[in-house]
Amino acid sequence: MDTDTPAETAERAAGLVKRMTLEEKCAQLSSLWHGVEADAGEMAPHQSEQTGGAVAAADPLAHGLGQVTRPFGSARVDPAEGAARLAAIQRRVRESSRFGIAAVAHDECLAGFMAYGATIFPTALAWGATFDPALVHAVARRIGDTMRSAGIHQGLAPVLDVVADSRWGRTEETIGEDPYLTGVLGTAYVTGLQDAGLVATVKHFAGYSASHAARNFGPVYLGPRQFTETYLTPFEMAVRLGRAKSVMPSYAANDGVPSHANTRLLTGILREEWGFEGTVVADYFGVNFLNSLHGIAGDRSAAAAAALGAGVDVELPGVDCFGEPLRNAVAEGLVEEKTLDRAVERVLAQKIELGLLDELPEPSGTVDFDPPEARALAAEVARKSVVLLSNDGTLPLAAAPARVALLGPVADDRAAFLGCYSFPNHHMRYDTESGEPYPVVDTGVAVATLADRLAADLPGAAIEHVAGGWVRESTDTEIAAAANAAAAADLAIVAVGDRSSLFGRGTSGEGCDAPDHALPGRQNELLEAVLDSGTPTVVVVVSGRPYALGTAPERAAAIVQAFLPGEEGAAAISGILTGATEPEGRLPVGVPARRDSPPATYLGPQLARRSEVSSVDPTARYPFGHGLTYTEFTWDEPELLSGAETAPDGVVEVAVRVANTGGRRGTEVVQLYLHDPVASTVRPVQRLVGFARLELAPGEAARARFAVPADLAALIGLDGQWTVEAGALELRLGRSAADTAAALAVQVTGERRIEPGTRALETQVTVETAVG
């Protein structure tokens, strides 16, 4: 790694650029994607169209290379062989460059390193359910260490999109519906990945998740206030607090301006206001989409000029617009060479920091992508992310029932626990020759099913498994068989949910958007038939988005939600059912009440809630932040430690003591919400501004203390600027967005305009244990 000062690095990069030819400069902004698995299906949007239309260079390494795309994520490769092959590619790249400059090797890491045989962690939505930034940091550090051991320099994660409509297929990749939770946990992931020596790439900048009708790539129609307050905030936190070194623009166009050509976004806000100094890398084919999909550029040269001018530095995944079309754009005067030089200097500065102008280390020869310590960490995240939605006392199972009917398509499906950006599900395919209706999945690592784990964890029970069909299709006969098995059992456990993949190959994941909130296929009919049996029924939902669960909230003995919990997910769920472990998760997204529930999050203003002037009720069945435990907690009256007034640049200190008064160890998540009753613009009824996890044994107590900057009450005023307004505020301490334990009134004594890039972004949280 480089030890130069930032000024020395910048000077060195600028000196290199002055010595480069036009071809060498463009090469540093381009990428190479090869070795893609032939029968894996599309791994990027419009992949076959885009790769078919580009003109391949005779020698793509003739003038050097900017990036190597997905050397492990594109096809199955042995870890040691892959590391050796990447090292060989790097030697060729260095030899092709007059300056001996290696390429940045990037890969995906949304649910672990997306490589065959690598640890498959829970999805980001499961991270959100943990409410545990320290754990998320540890996960990212572990993933980063694995990627560095294989020769990877840049990870395309985390996703900082805030869920607007959970029908969106990429909901599983997000951290949740709240910008503060997304920002805190996303920043923890950024720092963890970068502590391992990688470049973290935050995406998709910005507003991608707010697409019209929750359709992937759909247009976005966000006003400037909502766009800034909700959708930009997590990115600002990751850039300013986490010092993220790379940003990836969104595919979407907001109010008619595609992110890849949005100068105000990529240069004005990101660099000039927030002080970002890293690289902006295009989402795959995003530059040419300015021509082929958005229609704001007449050809590839115009697309290159628009993207480069706006602030895109590197084109991914291959050389397309930033190759010959960009050279032509410079020659024709569409792009000033100083604009090109600006991007090249940024790329080279980052390469210098990564040590890519120095001698690269050779691979060790033995590379373990799934070591025991990584599996243990994956197990911890899975365990802490499982959410107990409801429970009539049936759980935990005090003793193994004599006869258990284990039902549902998810109960014996390993792939159902994995996200779309895990290697197996990313490469999920159908065997067209055999005509088998189920996709082919090779997990590459040991993944137990729920059937496996329950058989081991309930050795005294006779367990009968009846799938009742597949996630996408079931017959009347299959559903009836499951209902009959339930009727003959002492307890029914029905596992329903998703099979995640890409572009319609799955029921969740990129390009797998849903028309409503119904469980995929006929799983809701299966669930109702099992409930009709009269046997006490525990519902287990393993999914990439929240689903409406019919009459289960009223009739099921218990409901457990897991958000694609990874390779150790079955053990985590089984542990919750049997009582070997405690439920600790909280919902990062609300669970809708009905399949036709309208798009809604808890962040809406008063008129977005249930009212007498509309016949449509958007209220969630289980709200953001909800999650039950197997013990009981008592909250004392909260304390306002800093007084009832604060200056507009002050800090408000709040504390609450919580005691575990039940008979089991448990975790309480204290959530702090801000309510602004009167403001110059319409505000959400409340929004999260802090949270604390309290892990307490029976009889233990702790005090959660929050130091809330007044800046967290700031809003985008009528003049378009961040402003803390004078007036009354209310800080609400609660167990969820719908369960407030107490409220404290605070008066802001004056008004303050906040200069761009200076707003305080995070509440400081302290947990004091063993309080008497």
Side-chain angles (χ1 to χ4, degrees):
M1 300 291 286
D2 175 62
T3 58
D4 290 350
T5 66
E8 290 170 335
T9 296
E11 183 179 357
R12 187 177 172 191
L16 282 170
V17 171
K18 290 177 182 178
R19 298 162 59 195
M20 285 182 166
T21 66
L22 176 60
E23 289 78 11
E24 288 171 329
K25 293 176 185 179
C26 290
Q28 289 301 315
L29 309 187
S30 64
S31 312
L32 178 65
W33 193 13
H34 74 106
V36 179
E37 201 166 47
D39 60 349
E42 302 279 274
M43 287 185 284
H46 298 275
Q47 178 180 327
S48 56
E49 300 167 29
Q50 296 300 313
T51 53
V55 178
D59 180 3
L61 304 183
H63 303 287
L65 183 67
Q67 294 219 4
V68 175
T69 292
R70 285 192 192 177
F72 288 89
S74 300
R76 175 174 172 170
V77 59
D78 173 81
E81 291 177 5
R85 185 179 68 182
L86 178 56
I89 292 172
Q90 289 284 31
R91 283 192 292 271
R92 287 185 56 208
V93 172
R94 287 181 61 117
E95 290 166 1
S96 72
S97 166
R98 288 193 299 134
F99 308 100
I101 304 171
V104 171
H106 78 259
D107 229 309
E108 301 284 358
C109 54
L110 289 168
F113 182 17
M114 199 182 78
Y116 182 77
T119 304
I120 304 172
F121 285 87
T123 56
L125 199 59
W127 315 343
T130 70
F131 277 70
D132 192 337
L135 180 59
V136 172
H137 179 278
V139 167
R141 177 60 193 260
R142 168 55 58 184
I143 293 169
D145 286 342
T146 301
M147 296 175 79
R148 277 298 271 181
S149 74
I152 301 297
H153 311 102
Q154 182 167 1
L156 303 189
V159 169
L160 299 183
D161 296 302
V162 178
V163 175
D165 183 341
S166 55
R167 296 177 302 167
W168 191 49
R170 304 192 79 165
T171 294
E172 66 175 65
E173 300 175 43
T174 74
I175 294 171
E177 70 180 45
D178 179 82
Y180 185 81
L181 179 68
T182 299
V184 171
L185 297 189
T187 298
Y189 194 90
V190 166
T191 57
L193 207 61
Q194 294 187 168
D195 283 350
L198 261 69
V199 170
T201 306
V202 295
K203 58 187 188 181
H204 306 89
F205 191 57
Y208 184 36
S209 54
S211 60
H212 186 62
R215 296 181 65 250
N216 195 37
F217 267 54
V220 175
Y221 304 113
L222 288 170
R225 288 181 180 81
Q226 186 182 21
F227 181 70
T228 302
E229 293 177 359
T230 300
Y231 296 94
L232 289 187
T233 289
F235 289 94
E236 184 176 3
M237 294 174 77
V239 168
R240 290 186 48 223
L241 302 181
R243 310 309 300 173
K245 295 181 179 180
S246 185
V247 171
M248 177 179 282
S250 160
Y251 284 130
N254 182 32
D255 197 25
V257 182
S259 293
H260 281 77
N262 192 329
T263 305
R264 168 66 182 144
L265 182 67
L266 301 183
T267 298
I269 293 174
L270 180 63
R271 294 191 183 275
E272 295 172 1
E273 294 186 7
W274 297 350
F276 177 70
E277 296 179 345
T279 56
V280 174
V281 299
D283 206 343
Y284 285 17
F285 310 116
V287 176
N288 192 43
F289 287 161
L290 299 177
N291 164 237
S292 61
L293 295 181
H294 291 298
I296 68 157
D299 55 26
R300 292 173 192 255
S301 290
L308 193 71
V312 175
D313 300 312
V314 178
E315 181 180 21
L316 302 181
V319 59
D320 186 359
C321 300
F322 279 14
E324 183 180 352
L326 177 55
R327 295 195 297 271
N328 292 339
V330 173
E332 295 168 8
L334 292 175
V335 173
E336 292 187 70
E337 194 149 359
K338 67 179 182 180
T339 302
L340 174 63
D341 291 351
R342 178 187 66 183
V344 180
E345 286 180 20
R346 292 168 182 164
V347 168
L348 291 177
Q350 197 159 81
K351 286 190 173 187
I352 292 168
E353 291 172 356
L354 289 167
L356 296 181
L357 273 69
D358 306 322
E359 194 67 33
L360 299 182
E362 288 295 319
S364 64
T366 57
V367 181
D368 187 355
F369 282 178
D370 189 30
E373 56 270 25
R375 292 194 71 96
L377 196 55
E380 183 180 0
V381 181
R383 176 175 57 80
K384 288 186 173 182
S385 68
V386 176
V387 185
L388 181 62
L389 296 182
S390 69
N391 185 23
D392 66 1
T394 297
L395 296 182
L397 300 174
R403 298 168 300 171
V404 176
L406 180 58
L407 314 168
V410 171
D412 200 27
D413 183 357
R414 288 172 173 78
F417 291 89
L418 314 180
C420 76
Y421 271 81
S422 66
F423 186 93
N425 284 6
H426 209 75
H427 290 254
M428 186 175 79
R429 61 191 184 278
Y430 289 84
D431 187 346
T432 54
E433 293 184 3
S434 70
E436 180 69 31
Y438 309 117
V440 178
V441 177
D442 178 2
T443 60
V445 294
V447 180
T449 67
L450 188 57
D452 296 332
R453 289 300 314 190
L454 286 174
D457 296 343
L458 296 174
I463 301 177
E464 179 185 8
H465 173 244
V466 179
W470 185 49
V471 291
R472 274 188 152 163
E473 53 189 57
S474 302
T475 65
D476 291 344
T477 301
E478 289 170 326
I479 293 174
N484 291 336
D490 300 309
L491 177 72
I493 299 173
V494 55
V496 294
D498 281 314
R499 174 69 85 84
S500 181
S501 192
L502 301 171
F503 308 118
R505 300 195 294 273
T507 60
S508 173
E510 184 175 356
C512 299
D513 309 316
D516 57 27
H517 292 105
L519 285 162
R522 298 180 67 186
Q523 291 182 87
N524 189 69
E525 293 176 59
L526 169 67
L527 178 56
E528 295 295 334
V530 172
L531 292 168
D532 286 343
S533 72
T535 298
T537 299
V538 174
V539 180
V540 176
V541 185
V542 182
S543 62
R545 63 165 66 85
Y547 286 111
L549 300 173
T551 65
E554 290 72 42
R555 296 204 290 163
I559 304 175
V560 173
Q561 171 72 59
F563 292 111
L564 303 179
E567 68 184 32
E568 292 290 334
I573 295 169
S574 180
I576 300 298
L577 298 181
T578 62
T581 56
E582 314 298 330
E584 299 184 43
R586 300 296 189 272
L587 285 176
V589 285
V591 174
R594 305 176 313 280
R595 65 177 296 168
D596 62 351
S597 290
T601 73
Y602 91 93
L603 282 172
Q606 185 62 43
L607 289 176
R609 296 191 169 193
R610 179 177 54 204
S611 73
E612 296 178 357
V613 297
S614 174
S615 58
V616 177
D617 183 0
T619 306
R621 182 61 181 81
Y622 300 106
F624 174 86
H626 171 77
L628 304 179
T629 70
Y630 289 154
T631 190
E632 296 179 0
F633 296 96
T634 300
W635 293 34
D636 289 354
E637 286 296 316
E639 306 169 74
L640 190 58
L641 304 177
S642 55
E645 292 187 349
T646 183
D649 59 353
V651 174
V652 180
E653 293 192 53
V654 178
V656 64
R657 179 183 178 276
V658 177
N660 182 346
T661 54
R664 293 180 63 117
R665 175 174 290 276
T667 297
E668 183 73 303
V669 179
V670 179
Q671 299 161 45
L672 182 65
Y673 294 89
L674 175 72
H675 170 62
D676 188 347
V678 179
S680 61
T681 64
V682 177
R683 310 304 299 146
V685 172
Q686 61 184 5
R687 53 190 176 85
L688 189 72
V689 293
F691 57 89
R693 283 176 51 89
L694 308 181
E695 300 180 13
L696 301 172
E700 282 189 340
R703 189 168 76 151
R705 183 167 179 162
F706 303 90
V708 187
D711 282 17
L712 290 187
L715 51 81
I716 299 295
L718 296 176
D719 61 358
Q721 303 299 313
W722 281 107
T723 304
V724 178
E725 296 184 338
L729 297 175
E730 189 175 275
L731 290 169
R732 300 174 174 179
L733 288 150
R735 299 174 183 89
S736 76
D739 184 2
T740 300
L744 297 167
V746 177
Q747 190 76 19
V748 180
T749 58
E751 183 171 299
R752 171 174 170 248
R753 281 272 300 273
I754 302 175
E755 291 300 314
T758 65
R759 181 171 59 114
L761 297 167
E762 190 172 10
T763 293
Q764 297 302 309
V765 180
T766 306
V767 176
E768 302 165 348
T769 57
V771 177

